[in-house]
Tab-separated table of all heavy atoms in Angstrom:
chain	number	residue	atom	x	y	z
P	1	MET	N	10.182	11.021	41.890
P	1	MET	CA	9.125	10.871	40.903
P	1	MET	C	8.774	9.393	40.721
P	1	MET	O	9.637	8.549	40.600
P	1	MET	CB	9.589	11.459	39.559
P	1	MET	CG	8.450	11.722	38.594
P	1	MET	SD	9.108	12.516	37.097
P	1	MET	CE	8.589	11.325	35.884
P	2	GLU	N	7.504	9.123	40.728
P	2	GLU	CA	7.076	7.741	40.558
P	2	GLU	C	6.691	7.451	39.120
P	2	GLU	O	6.222	8.318	38.406
P	2	GLU	CB	5.861	7.473	41.447
P	2	GLU	CG	6.243	6.925	42.812
P	2	GLU	CD	5.011	6.561	43.619
P	2	GLU	OE1	4.096	5.936	43.063
P	2	GLU	OE2	4.980	6.921	44.805
P	3	VAL	N	6.901	6.198	38.740
P	3	VAL	CA	6.501	5.768	37.402
P	3	VAL	C	4.993	5.682	37.349
P	3	VAL	O	4.355	5.077	38.189
P	3	VAL	CB	7.124	4.398	37.074
P	3	VAL	CG1	6.585	3.859	35.762
P	3	VAL	CG2	8.633	4.508	37.016
P	4	LYS	N	4.454	6.325	36.344
P	4	LYS	CA	3.006	6.260	36.148
P	4	LYS	C	2.665	5.100	35.229
P	4	LYS	O	3.348	4.879	34.229
P	4	LYS	CB	2.495	7.552	35.509
P	4	LYS	CG	2.536	8.729	36.436
P	4	LYS	CD	1.907	9.942	35.744
P	4	LYS	CE	2.094	11.197	36.564
P	4	LYS	NZ	2.501	12.346	35.730
P	5	LEU	N	1.626	4.395	35.563
P	5	LEU	CA	1.246	3.237	34.747
P	5	LEU	C	-0.030	3.474	33.946
P	5	LEU	O	-0.392	2.656	33.116
P	5	LEU	CB	1.072	1.995	35.630
P	5	LEU	CG	2.359	1.453	36.261
P	5	LEU	CD1	2.054	0.253	37.130
P	5	LEU	CD2	3.390	1.092	35.208
P	6	ASP	N	-0.684	4.566	34.213
P	6	ASP	CA	-1.883	4.820	33.411
P	6	ASP	C	-1.611	5.937	32.412
P	6	ASP	O	-0.997	6.947	32.719
P	6	ASP	CB	-3.089	5.154	34.298
P	6	ASP	CG	-2.797	6.286	35.253
P	6	ASP	OD1	-1.720	6.265	35.868
P	6	ASP	OD2	-3.628	7.201	35.370
P	7	SER	N	-2.019	5.685	31.204
P	7	SER	CA	-1.749	6.603	30.104
P	7	SER	C	-3.010	6.711	29.261
P	7	SER	O	-3.718	5.735	29.065
P	7	SER	CB	-0.591	6.046	29.261
P	7	SER	OG	-0.256	6.930	28.224
P	8	ILE	N	-3.283	7.905	28.784
P	8	ILE	CA	-4.459	8.077	27.931
P	8	ILE	C	-4.005	8.048	26.483
P	8	ILE	O	-3.266	8.921	26.039
P	8	ILE	CB	-5.186	9.405	28.248
P	8	ILE	CG1	-5.696	9.378	29.695
P	8	ILE	CG2	-6.355	9.612	27.274
P	8	ILE	CD1	-6.157	10.728	30.204
P	9	ILE	N	-4.409	7.015	25.785
P	9	ILE	CA	-4.058	6.871	24.367
P	9	ILE	C	-5.063	7.645	23.518
P	9	ILE	O	-6.267	7.509	23.698
P	9	ILE	CB	-4.039	5.390	23.961
P	9	ILE	CG1	-2.768	4.730	24.507
P	9	ILE	CG2	-4.114	5.247	22.443
P	9	ILE	CD1	-2.447	3.391	23.866
P	10	THR	N	-4.546	8.481	22.636
P	10	THR	CA	-5.404	9.195	21.692
P	10	THR	C	-5.201	8.602	20.312
P	10	THR	O	-4.087	8.602	19.791
P	10	THR	CB	-5.058	10.693	21.669
P	10	THR	OG1	-5.168	11.213	22.994
P	10	THR	CG2	-6.012	11.450	20.749
P	11	CYS	N	-6.259	8.112	19.726
P	11	CYS	CA	-6.172	7.533	18.378
P	11	CYS	C	-5.888	8.650	17.373
P	11	CYS	O	-6.599	9.651	17.335
P	11	CYS	CB	-7.481	6.830	18.043
P	11	CYS	SG	-7.556	6.251	16.343
P	12	PRO	N	-4.822	8.493	16.550
P	12	PRO	CA	-4.473	9.542	15.581
P	12	PRO	C	-5.461	9.613	14.417
P	12	PRO	O	-5.477	10.587	13.679
P	12	PRO	CB	-3.086	9.116	15.096
P	12	PRO	CG	-3.061	7.637	15.285
P	12	PRO	CD	-3.916	7.350	16.498
P	13	LEU	N	-6.275	8.594	14.267
P	13	LEU	CA	-7.203	8.564	13.133
P	13	LEU	C	-8.547	9.184	13.478
P	13	LEU	O	-9.092	9.971	12.718
P	13	LEU	CB	-7.396	7.121	12.648
P	13	LEU	CG	-6.116	6.460	12.134
P	13	LEU	CD1	-6.379	5.014	11.779
P	13	LEU	CD2	-5.564	7.209	10.942
P	14	CYS	N	-9.103	8.813	14.625
P	14	CYS	CA	-10.451	9.299	14.939
P	14	CYS	C	-10.474	10.211	16.167
P	14	CYS	O	-11.492	10.804	16.475
P	14	CYS	CB	-11.404	8.120	15.128
P	14	CYS	SG	-11.099	7.184	16.635
P	15	GLY	N	-9.337	10.301	16.879
P	15	GLY	CA	-9.288	11.190	18.029
P	15	GLY	C	-9.890	10.612	19.300
P	15	GLY	O	-9.967	11.287	20.312
P	16	HIS	N	-10.272	9.342	19.255
P	16	HIS	CA	-10.861	8.690	20.428
P	16	HIS	C	-9.815	8.547	21.529
P	16	HIS	O	-8.678	8.168	21.294
P	16	HIS	CB	-11.379	7.312	20.006
P	16	HIS	CG	-12.079	6.574	21.104
P	16	HIS	ND1	-13.336	6.932	21.528
P	16	HIS	CD2	-11.697	5.519	21.871
P	16	HIS	CE1	-13.695	6.109	22.514
P	16	HIS	NE2	-12.723	5.249	22.730
P	17	LYS	N	-10.221	8.869	22.755
P	17	LYS	CA	-9.305	8.774	23.893
P	17	LYS	C	-9.725	7.637	24.813
P	17	LYS	O	-10.901	7.456	25.090
P	17	LYS	CB	-9.302	10.078	24.686
P	17	LYS	CG	-8.636	11.217	23.981
P	17	LYS	CD	-8.565	12.412	24.920
P	17	LYS	CE	-7.711	13.532	24.358
P	17	LYS	NZ	-8.244	14.131	23.137
P	18	LYS	N	-8.729	6.896	25.280
P	18	LYS	CA	-9.021	5.787	26.176
P	18	LYS	C	-7.895	5.668	27.180
P	18	LYS	O	-6.726	5.686	26.815
P	18	LYS	CB	-9.133	4.486	25.357
P	18	LYS	CG	-9.339	3.233	26.173
P	18	LYS	CD	-10.813	2.917	26.382
P	18	LYS	CE	-11.047	1.891	27.488
P	18	LYS	NZ	-10.511	0.567	27.134
P	19	GLU	N	-8.265	5.564	28.454
P	19	GLU	CA	-7.232	5.376	29.464
P	19	GLU	C	-6.867	3.902	29.556
P	19	GLU	O	-7.739	3.046	29.655
P	19	GLU	CB	-7.726	5.868	30.828
P	19	GLU	CG	-6.618	5.835	31.866
P	19	GLU	CD	-7.031	6.505	33.175
P	19	GLU	OE1	-7.608	7.597	33.129
P	19	GLU	OE2	-6.778	5.904	34.228
P	20	GLU	N	-5.583	3.618	29.496
P	20	GLU	CA	-5.106	2.240	29.549
P	20	GLU	C	-4.039	2.123	30.627
P	20	GLU	O	-3.281	3.053	30.864
P	20	GLU	CB	-4.480	1.833	28.203
P	20	GLU	CG	-5.451	1.775	27.043
P	20	GLU	CD	-6.383	0.564	27.121
P	20	GLU	OE1	-6.124	-0.351	27.923
P	20	GLU	OE2	-7.387	0.573	26.383
P	21	ILE	N	-4.003	0.964	31.263
P	21	ILE	CA	-2.934	0.693	32.217
P	21	ILE	C	-1.794	0.018	31.463
P	21	ILE	O	-1.991	-0.971	30.776
P	21	ILE	CB	-3.428	-0.236	33.350
P	21	ILE	CG1	-4.680	0.351	34.011
P	21	ILE	CG2	-2.317	-0.461	34.365
P	21	ILE	CD1	-4.485	1.719	34.624
P	22	MET	N	-0.590	0.575	31.606
P	22	MET	CA	0.543	0.034	30.864
P	22	MET	C	1.157	-1.133	31.620
P	22	MET	O	1.275	-1.087	32.847
P	22	MET	CB	1.612	1.127	30.687
P	22	MET	CG	1.151	2.270	29.823
P	22	MET	SD	2.470	3.461	29.535
P	22	MET	CE	2.352	4.441	31.029
P	23	PRO	N	1.557	-2.156	30.864
P	23	PRO	CA	2.312	-3.240	31.508
P	23	PRO	C	3.681	-2.717	31.914
P	23	PRO	O	4.312	-1.970	31.158
P	23	PRO	CB	2.420	-4.311	30.416
P	23	PRO	CG	2.215	-3.588	29.125
P	23	PRO	CD	1.372	-2.365	29.421
P	24	ARG	N	4.127	-3.050	33.114
P	24	ARG	CA	5.342	-2.463	33.653
P	24	ARG	C	6.603	-2.956	32.950
P	24	ARG	O	7.560	-2.218	32.773
P	24	ARG	CB	5.437	-2.803	35.143
P	24	ARG	CG	6.268	-1.829	35.911
P	24	ARG	CD	6.185	-2.128	37.396
P	24	ARG	NE	6.028	-0.913	38.190
P	24	ARG	CZ	6.978	-0.003	38.348
P	24	ARG	NH1	8.143	-0.144	37.751
P	24	ARG	NH2	6.772	1.057	39.095
P	25	GLU	N	6.614	-4.225	32.580
P	25	GLU	CA	7.864	-4.828	32.107
P	25	GLU	C	7.892	-5.084	30.605
P	25	GLU	O	8.815	-5.666	30.090
P	25	GLU	CB	8.127	-6.155	32.844
P	25	GLU	CG	8.284	-5.984	34.343
P	25	GLU	CD	9.430	-5.049	34.710
P	25	GLU	OE1	10.366	-4.880	33.899
P	25	GLU	OE2	9.369	-4.471	35.805
P	26	SER	N	6.841	-4.722	29.920
P	26	SER	CA	6.852	-4.988	28.484
P	26	SER	C	6.271	-3.790	27.749
P	26	SER	O	5.537	-2.997	28.317
P	26	SER	CB	6.043	-6.246	28.163
P	26	SER	OG	4.700	-6.066	28.522
P	27	CYS	N	6.638	-3.715	26.476
P	27	CYS	CA	6.120	-2.633	25.666
P	27	CYS	C	4.955	-3.138	24.828
P	27	CYS	O	4.965	-4.264	24.348
P	27	CYS	CB	7.216	-2.098	24.747
P	27	CYS	SG	8.409	-1.095	25.631
P	28	LEU	N	3.977	-2.293	24.679
P	28	LEU	CA	2.824	-2.656	23.863
P	28	LEU	C	3.052	-2.097	22.466
P	28	LEU	O	3.142	-0.890	22.274
P	28	LEU	CB	1.562	-2.067	24.487
P	28	LEU	CG	0.241	-2.538	23.885
P	28	LEU	CD1	0.031	-4.022	24.143
P	28	LEU	CD2	-0.917	-1.762	24.486
P	29	PHE	N	3.180	-3.005	21.505
P	29	PHE	CA	3.550	-2.576	20.165
P	29	PHE	C	2.326	-2.347	19.292
P	29	PHE	O	2.317	-1.478	18.435
P	29	PHE	CB	4.474	-3.623	19.540
P	29	PHE	CG	5.302	-3.079	18.417
P	29	PHE	CD1	6.411	-2.284	18.683
P	29	PHE	CD2	4.977	-3.335	17.101
P	29	PHE	CE1	7.178	-1.765	17.648
P	29	PHE	CE2	5.733	-2.819	16.058
P	29	PHE	CZ	6.834	-2.036	16.342
P	30	PHE	N	1.304	-3.139	19.514
P	30	PHE	CA	0.082	-2.989	18.731
P	30	PHE	C	-1.068	-2.644	19.659
P	30	PHE	O	-1.160	-3.158	20.768
P	30	PHE	CB	-0.254	-4.282	17.977
P	30	PHE	CG	0.766	-4.643	16.942
P	30	PHE	CD1	1.641	-5.682	17.152
P	30	PHE	CD2	0.847	-3.923	15.762
P	30	PHE	CE1	2.595	-6.011	16.209
P	30	PHE	CE2	1.806	-4.250	14.809
P	30	PHE	CZ	2.667	-5.297	15.033
P	31	TYR	N	-1.914	-1.746	19.191
P	31	TYR	CA	-3.060	-1.362	19.991
P	31	TYR	C	-4.235	-1.098	19.066
P	31	TYR	O	-4.112	-0.332	18.113
P	31	TYR	CB	-2.725	-0.100	20.795
P	31	TYR	CG	-3.882	0.436	21.599
P	31	TYR	CD1	-4.189	-0.107	22.843
P	31	TYR	CD2	-4.679	1.469	21.106
P	31	TYR	CE1	-5.269	0.370	23.573
P	31	TYR	CE2	-5.746	1.951	21.838
P	31	TYR	CZ	-6.035	1.397	23.067
P	31	TYR	OH	-7.092	1.873	23.784
P	32	GLU	N	-5.340	-1.749	19.361
P	32	GLU	CA	-6.508	-1.547	18.509
P	32	GLU	C	-7.418	-0.496	19.122
P	32	GLU	O	-7.846	-0.622	20.269
P	32	GLU	CB	-7.269	-2.866	18.327
P	32	GLU	CG	-8.362	-2.729	17.278
P	32	GLU	CD	-9.257	-3.977	17.214
P	32	GLU	OE1	-10.020	-4.188	18.163
P	32	GLU	OE2	-9.189	-4.714	16.239
P	33	CYS	N	-7.703	0.543	18.353
P	33	CYS	CA	-8.632	1.565	18.807
P	33	CYS	C	-10.022	0.938	18.923
P	33	CYS	O	-10.501	0.315	17.988
P	33	CYS	CB	-8.665	2.716	17.812
P	33	CYS	SG	-9.953	3.921	18.155
P	34	GLU	N	-10.629	1.109	20.099
P	34	GLU	CA	-11.929	0.468	20.288
P	34	GLU	C	-13.026	1.183	19.507
P	34	GLU	O	-14.095	0.636	19.295
P	34	GLU	CB	-12.289	0.423	21.782
P	34	GLU	CG	-12.463	1.801	22.367
P	34	GLU	CD	-13.061	1.760	23.771
P	34	GLU	OE1	-13.105	0.690	24.369
P	34	GLU	OE2	-13.474	2.835	24.230
P	35	ASN	N	-12.755	2.397	19.080
P	35	ASN	CA	-13.770	3.159	18.360
P	35	ASN	C	-13.767	2.866	16.852
P	35	ASN	O	-14.764	2.464	16.287
P	35	ASN	CB	-13.570	4.657	18.621
P	35	ASN	CG	-14.663	5.491	17.987
P	35	ASN	OD1	-15.838	5.270	18.226
P	35	ASN	ND2	-14.277	6.437	17.164
P	36	CYS	N	-12.601	3.050	16.205
P	36	CYS	CA	-12.556	2.880	14.753
P	36	CYS	C	-11.876	1.588	14.336
P	36	CYS	O	-11.762	1.315	13.146
P	36	CYS	CB	-11.879	4.084	14.090
P	36	CYS	SG	-10.124	4.238	14.415
P	37	LYS	N	-11.412	0.805	15.340
P	37	LYS	CA	-10.803	-0.519	15.092
P	37	LYS	C	-9.507	-0.441	14.302
P	37	LYS	O	-9.063	-1.434	13.731
P	37	LYS	CB	-11.769	-1.464	14.349
P	37	LYS	CG	-13.131	-1.603	15.018
P	37	LYS	CD	-13.019	-2.255	16.376
P	37	LYS	CE	-14.390	-2.406	17.040
P	37	LYS	NZ	-14.258	-2.626	18.474
P	38	ALA	N	-8.898	0.736	14.253
P	38	ALA	CA	-7.608	0.860	13.587
P	38	ALA	C	-6.546	0.181	14.446
P	38	ALA	O	-6.590	0.252	15.676
P	38	ALA	CB	-7.255	2.326	13.387
P	39	MET	N	-5.601	-0.492	13.790
P	39	MET	CA	-4.498	-1.079	14.514
P	39	MET	C	-3.360	-0.071	14.549
P	39	MET	O	-2.752	0.240	13.528
P	39	MET	CB	-4.064	-2.387	13.829
P	39	MET	CG	-3.081	-3.199	14.638
P	39	MET	SD	-3.721	-3.734	16.251
P	39	MET	CE	-4.769	-5.120	15.766
P	40	LEU	N	-3.089	0.453	15.730
P	40	LEU	CA	-2.047	1.465	15.868
P	40	LEU	C	-0.703	0.795	16.092
P	40	LEU	O	-0.597	-0.178	16.827
P	40	LEU	CB	-2.364	2.385	17.047
P	40	LEU	CG	-3.735	3.050	17.053
P	40	LEU	CD1	-3.829	3.998	18.244
P	40	LEU	CD2	-3.997	3.798	15.767
P	41	LYS	N	0.320	1.356	15.459
P	41	LYS	CA	1.688	0.908	15.664
P	41	LYS	C	2.508	2.120	16.073
P	41	LYS	O	2.157	3.253	15.752
P	41	LYS	CB	2.256	0.318	14.372
P	41	LYS	CG	1.740	-1.077	14.085
P	41	LYS	CD	2.371	-1.650	12.842
P	41	LYS	CE	1.714	-1.077	11.604
P	41	LYS	NZ	2.179	-1.704	10.370
P	42	PRO	N	3.613	1.910	16.786
P	42	PRO	CA	4.430	3.060	17.199
P	42	PRO	C	4.981	3.818	15.995
P	42	PRO	O	5.249	3.233	14.949
P	42	PRO	CB	5.589	2.419	17.977
P	42	PRO	CG	5.114	1.055	18.326
P	42	PRO	CD	4.142	0.650	17.270
P	43	LYS	N	5.152	5.123	16.147
P	43	LYS	CA	5.850	5.890	15.119
P	43	LYS	C	7.304	5.471	15.104
P	43	LYS	O	7.831	4.967	16.102
P	43	LYS	CB	5.771	7.390	15.443
P	43	LYS	CG	4.365	7.956	15.371
P	43	LYS	CD	4.393	9.396	15.859
P	43	LYS	CE	2.997	9.911	16.137
P	43	LYS	NZ	2.997	11.112	16.975
P	44	SER	N	7.990	5.696	13.986
P	44	SER	CA	9.382	5.288	13.916
P	44	SER	C	10.187	6.035	14.973
P	44	SER	O	10.039	7.241	15.162
P	44	SER	CB	9.955	5.550	12.523
P	44	SER	OG	9.920	6.921	12.244
P	45	GLY	N	11.014	5.292	15.695
P	45	GLY	CA	11.804	5.880	16.765
P	45	GLY	C	11.172	5.709	18.130
P	45	GLY	O	11.842	5.880	19.144
P	46	ASP	N	9.893	5.373	18.162
P	46	ASP	CA	9.233	5.136	19.447
P	46	ASP	C	9.177	3.644	19.714
P	46	ASP	O	9.060	2.835	18.798
P	46	ASP	CB	7.812	5.710	19.437
P	46	ASP	CG	7.809	7.221	19.534
P	46	ASP	OD1	8.817	7.784	20.012
P	46	ASP	OD2	6.816	7.835	19.130
P	47	CYS	N	9.241	3.274	21.006
P	47	CYS	CA	9.317	1.854	21.329
P	47	CYS	C	7.948	1.219	21.487
P	47	CYS	O	7.810	0.016	21.409
P	47	CYS	CB	10.134	1.647	22.605
P	47	CYS	SG	9.386	2.355	24.079
P	48	CYS	N	6.927	2.015	21.730
P	48	CYS	CA	5.613	1.415	21.919
P	48	CYS	C	4.524	2.444	21.647
P	48	CYS	O	4.803	3.633	21.495
P	48	CYS	CB	5.479	0.843	23.336
P	48	CYS	SG	5.363	2.088	24.597
P	49	VAL	N	3.291	1.963	21.595
P	49	VAL	CA	2.192	2.861	21.242
P	49	VAL	C	1.965	3.945	22.303
P	49	VAL	O	1.471	5.017	21.999
P	49	VAL	CB	0.881	2.081	21.002
P	49	VAL	CG1	0.967	1.289	19.708
P	49	VAL	CG2	0.520	1.187	22.170
P	50	PHE	N	2.364	3.661	23.534
P	50	PHE	CA	2.180	4.689	24.576
P	50	PHE	C	3.119	5.871	24.352
P	50	PHE	O	2.773	7.010	24.619
P	50	PHE	CB	2.403	4.090	25.959
P	50	PHE	CG	1.344	3.098	26.342
P	50	PHE	CD1	1.637	1.742	26.404
P	50	PHE	CD2	0.058	3.504	26.620
P	50	PHE	CE1	0.657	0.815	26.739
P	50	PHE	CE2	-0.934	2.593	26.954
P	50	PHE	CZ	-0.632	1.247	27.014
P	51	CYS	N	4.330	5.569	23.863
P	51	CYS	CA	5.277	6.653	23.590
P	51	CYS	C	4.806	7.510	22.420
P	51	CYS	O	5.074	8.701	22.356
P	51	CYS	CB	6.658	6.082	23.312
P	51	CYS	SG	7.405	5.315	24.754
P	52	SER	N	4.094	6.888	21.469
P	52	SER	CA	3.648	7.621	20.296
P	52	SER	C	2.326	8.343	20.527
P	52	SER	O	2.145	9.479	20.104
P	52	SER	CB	3.486	6.663	19.113
P	52	SER	OG	4.736	6.222	18.648
P	53	TYR	N	1.403	7.669	21.195
P	53	TYR	CA	0.041	8.206	21.254
P	53	TYR	C	-0.486	8.411	22.662
P	53	TYR	O	-1.583	8.924	22.850
P	53	TYR	CB	-0.912	7.263	20.501
P	53	TYR	CG	-0.433	6.959	19.109
P	53	TYR	CD1	-0.018	5.677	18.762
P	53	TYR	CD2	-0.373	7.966	18.154
P	53	TYR	CE1	0.445	5.399	17.486
P	53	TYR	CE2	0.087	7.703	16.876
P	53	TYR	CZ	0.488	6.420	16.550
P	53	TYR	OH	0.947	6.153	15.291
P	54	GLY	N	0.277	7.995	23.671
P	54	GLY	CA	-0.199	8.100	25.042
P	54	GLY	C	0.127	9.446	25.667
P	54	GLY	O	1.017	10.153	25.218
P	55	SER	N	-0.599	9.777	26.727
P	55	SER	CA	-0.324	11.016	27.451
P	55	SER	C	0.932	10.861	28.311
P	55	SER	O	1.543	11.837	28.717
P	55	SER	CB	-1.525	11.391	28.322
P	55	SER	OG	-1.791	10.360	29.254
P	56	VAL	N	1.293	9.629	28.588
P	56	VAL	CA	2.460	9.333	29.417
P	56	VAL	C	3.287	8.284	28.679
P	56	VAL	O	2.727	7.318	28.175
P	56	VAL	CB	2.000	8.752	30.786
P	56	VAL	CG1	3.190	8.372	31.647
P	56	VAL	CG2	1.119	9.757	31.520
P	57	PRO	N	4.600	8.474	28.546
P	57	PRO	CA	5.419	7.454	27.889
P	57	PRO	C	5.505	6.182	28.737
P	57	PRO	O	5.194	6.218	29.926
P	57	PRO	CB	6.781	8.122	27.734
P	57	PRO	CG	6.796	9.209	28.736
P	57	PRO	CD	5.368	9.637	28.950
P	58	CYS	N	5.959	5.103	28.123
P	58	CYS	CA	5.951	3.813	28.808
P	58	CYS	C	6.940	3.797	29.983
P	58	CYS	O	7.880	4.593	30.033
P	58	CYS	CB	6.253	2.693	27.822
P	58	CYS	SG	7.929	2.700	27.177
P	59	PRO	N	6.743	2.872	30.925
P	59	PRO	CA	7.572	2.851	32.144
P	59	PRO	C	9.078	2.799	31.911
P	59	PRO	O	9.816	3.532	32.594
P	59	PRO	CB	7.053	1.602	32.886
P	59	PRO	CG	5.624	1.483	32.449
P	59	PRO	CD	5.612	1.930	31.003
P	60	PRO	N	9.596	1.958	30.981
P	60	PRO	CA	11.055	1.964	30.785
P	60	PRO	C	11.598	3.330	30.364
P	60	PRO	O	12.692	3.719	30.775
P	60	PRO	CB	11.265	0.922	29.667
P	60	PRO	CG	10.071	0.029	29.740
P	60	PRO	CD	8.931	0.920	30.176
P	61	ILE	N	10.852	4.066	29.571
P	61	ILE	CA	11.290	5.401	29.154
P	61	ILE	C	11.221	6.366	30.342
P	61	ILE	O	12.121	7.191	30.549
P	61	ILE	CB	10.391	5.922	28.012
P	61	ILE	CG1	10.523	5.039	26.765
P	61	ILE	CG2	10.734	7.379	27.676
P	61	ILE	CD1	11.849	5.155	26.038
P	62	GLN	N	10.183	6.259	31.141
P	62	GLN	CA	10.095	7.124	32.322
P	62	GLN	C	11.284	6.890	33.257
P	62	GLN	O	11.838	7.808	33.833
P	62	GLN	CB	8.794	6.838	33.089
P	62	GLN	CG	7.558	7.297	32.375
P	62	GLN	CD	6.309	7.030	33.212
P	62	GLN	OE1	6.262	7.366	34.383
P	62	GLN	NE2	5.323	6.378	32.603
P	63	GLU	N	11.685	5.616	33.396
P	63	GLU	CA	12.806	5.299	34.289
P	63	GLU	C	14.115	5.825	33.743
P	63	GLU	O	14.986	6.235	34.499
P	63	GLU	CB	12.876	3.783	34.519
P	63	GLU	CG	11.829	3.358	35.543
P	63	GLU	CD	11.600	1.837	35.554
P	63	GLU	OE1	12.297	1.112	34.823
P	63	GLU	OE2	10.689	1.412	36.297
P	64	GLN	N	14.252	5.834	32.410
P	64	GLN	CA	15.456	6.393	31.797
P	64	GLN	C	15.630	7.863	32.125
P	64	GLN	O	16.734	8.350	32.282
P	64	GLN	CB	15.373	6.281	30.272
P	64	GLN	CG	15.936	4.983	29.703
P	64	GLN	CD	15.760	4.926	28.202
P	64	GLN	OE1	15.751	5.957	27.521
P	64	GLN	NE2	15.609	3.735	27.677
P	65	ASP	N	14.509	8.565	32.193
P	65	ASP	CA	14.560	10.012	32.394
P	65	ASP	C	14.843	10.404	33.837
P	65	ASP	O	15.110	11.552	34.130
P	65	ASP	CB	13.226	10.652	31.960
P	65	ASP	CG	13.088	10.659	30.435
P	65	ASP	OD1	14.122	10.444	29.762
P	65	ASP	OD2	11.979	10.861	29.941
P	66	MET	N	14.740	9.449	34.748
P	66	MET	CA	14.913	9.788	36.168
P	66	MET	C	16.377	9.957	36.536
P	66	MET	O	17.237	9.335	35.947
P	66	MET	CB	14.293	8.688	37.023
P	66	MET	CG	12.814	8.891	37.191
P	66	MET	SD	12.173	7.619	38.287
P	66	MET	CE	10.641	7.270	37.491
X	1	LIG	ZN1	-9.579	5.362	16.345
């Protein structure tokens, strides 16, 4: 299984979806929704916004599961 780097983030406030390329070696903690300009932060227990709101969890988490 290969690590996927593209994840579709769904804004929990307005439902806007945007495909983003994840940085391989770092976690993205803050993400601004381009539609409603909300600043998204990870839910408690999640390491980054991709784990909370993305269709694919971040690369370090994917590697843990392998
Ligand atoms: Zn939004």
Side-chain angles (χ1 to χ4, degrees):
M1 197 176 121
E2 268 185 45
V3 173
K4 289 184 188 136
L5 292 179
D6 54 315
S7 183
I8 297 168
I9 284 196
T10 304
C11 173
L13 298 176
C14 71
H16 183 74
K17 289 186 171 64
K18 176 91 195 294
E19 187 172 314
E20 294 287 347
I21 306 300
M22 294 184 277
R24 204 173 223 290
E25 299 301 336
S26 63
C27 285
L28 189 66
F29 201 76
F30 295 106
Y31 176 82
E32 189 188 70
C33 172
E34 64 170 13
N35 185 55
C36 69
K37 307 295 181 198
M39 190 61 78
L40 306 184
K41 283 183 281 186
K43 294 174 194 163
S44 62
D46 286 338
C47 65
C48 71
V49 289
F50 292 109
C51 293
S52 289
Y53 308 113
S55 60
V56 177
C58 68
I61 296 289
Q62 290 182 49
E63 281 165 4
Q64 270 177 30
D65 287 345
M66 276 183 219

